[in-house]
Amino acid sequence: MAEPRTPVEVARSAARATDLADLDAAVSDCFACPRLVSWREEVARTRRAAFRDQEYWGRPVPGFGAPDARIGILGLAPAAHGGNRTGRIFTGDRSGDVLFAALHRAGLANQPTSVAADDGLTLTDTRIFAAVRCAPPDNKPTPVERDTCAPWLHREVELIRPTLRVVVALGAFAWAAWWPILRDTYGLRPPSPRPRFGHGAHWSGATAPEVLGCYHVSQQNTFTGRLTPGMLDDVFARAKQVAGVD
């Protein structure tokens, strides 16, 4: 499959993916957003001092988890020294430490930590993916970058559509990224006005997964107490209930 280098090529490549493995391989070879390509590769070259001896992934980061997931977790983008370093979403950074500890408490992950792509972590009934697949400067993708990357997300949801029952949107960016999927993947008109994001926000539709809002597991939220372990536990307990996961 050719390396996508324009929005049109991204859309075509995503549409051609026949399964998650095919999609993940195509995602990893995307070069469609020049600013993001430059940034992810610069970070991989310069490296953080604590990881100077490690070889960074430095490419787009595919989704991770069960191919028959009933619960989806939608984030913003990989962290520069997390997923961009390890090659797995939410792996090797403080946000991932919080997220995977919560998933382990919920019985959705086999271990509470995630430090490397080969550390043995597995998820049960759960798949994690991001609205934007490259680490963006200052964790702020542009609207054009978000829209260029959207076909990857839309195709991933389409591939797990038979089992997907609920999506946990981590933060307002992920919450906003979900609504176009209703049109492109489920053939539904997105709600108007859009439901307002907030921690604990809940949207349900008759023929699409329910959506739960959750504050992002960023250090800004977890260090200040805006998002506590108990709040995360409540969200995942609700997600399991909606999805019918024991």
Side-chain angles (χ1 to χ4, degrees):
M1 202 177 281
E3 297 172 346
R5 293 181 179 272
T6 69
V8 170
E9 290 173 354
V10 169
R12 289 174 178 167
S13 184
R16 286 195 299 266
T18 57
D19 55 26
L20 288 173
D22 198 19
L23 180 71
D24 292 348
V27 167
S28 300
D29 280 336
C30 186
F31 290 82
C33 298
R35 187 182 78 113
L36 298 187
V37 172
S38 176
W39 173 252
R40 78 193 192 204
E41 293 180 353
E42 174 64 19
V43 170
R45 281 194 299 270
T46 58
R47 308 178 188 180
R48 179 171 283 175
F51 308 123
R52 66 168 62 92
D53 296 329
Q54 297 184 20
E55 183 173 349
Y56 276 51
W57 172 254
R59 302 166 72 179
V61 180
F64 167 69
D68 56 352
R70 286 184 274 178
I71 299 170
I73 300 174
L74 177 56
L76 191 163
H81 301 281
N84 189 58
R85 173 173 61 90
T86 64
R88 191 168 71 195
I89 191 70
F90 280 113
T91 295
D93 59 48
R94 294 292 181 86
S95 295
D97 292 344
V98 173
L99 177 61
F100 288 116
L103 291 175
H104 183 256
R105 292 194 301 271
L108 299 172
N110 69 324
Q111 59 192 46
T113 58
S114 178
V115 297
D118 60 354
D119 63 5
L121 176 71
T122 59
L123 302 182
T124 301
D125 290 310
T126 305
R127 187 167 177 87
I128 304 175
F129 33 71
V132 173
R133 303 305 170 102
C134 291
D138 300 319
N139 290 321
K140 294 180 179 178
T142 67
V144 170
E145 290 163 350
R146 175 202 63 203
D147 294 345
T148 298
C149 209
W152 299 128
L153 173 61
H154 295 195
R155 182 59 177 153
E156 188 158 7
V157 171
E158 186 175 13
L159 288 169
I160 62 173
R161 177 177 174 175
T163 57
L164 188 63
R165 297 293 176 265
V166 61
V167 173
V168 177
L170 298 177
F173 190 97
W175 180 265
W178 173 256
W179 309 115
I181 294 174
L182 292 182
R183 179 191 63 242
D184 293 347
T185 301
Y186 291 89
L188 301 174
R189 178 177 296 177
S192 181
R194 296 289 192 270
R196 187 172 182 177
F197 173 76
H199 186 82
H202 179 208
W203 178 87
S204 62
T207 58
E210 298 188 31
V211 186
L212 302 176
C214 179
Y215 290 147
H216 196 279
V217 287
S218 65
Q219 292 183 60
Q220 181 180 359
N221 287 334
T222 58
F223 282 11
T224 62
R226 187 172 188 240
L227 178 65
T228 66
M231 292 166 69
L232 268 176
D233 291 347
D234 289 345
V235 168
F236 288 125
R238 176 61 174 152
K240 289 178 64 178
Q241 181 184 40
V242 170
V245 175
D246 296 331

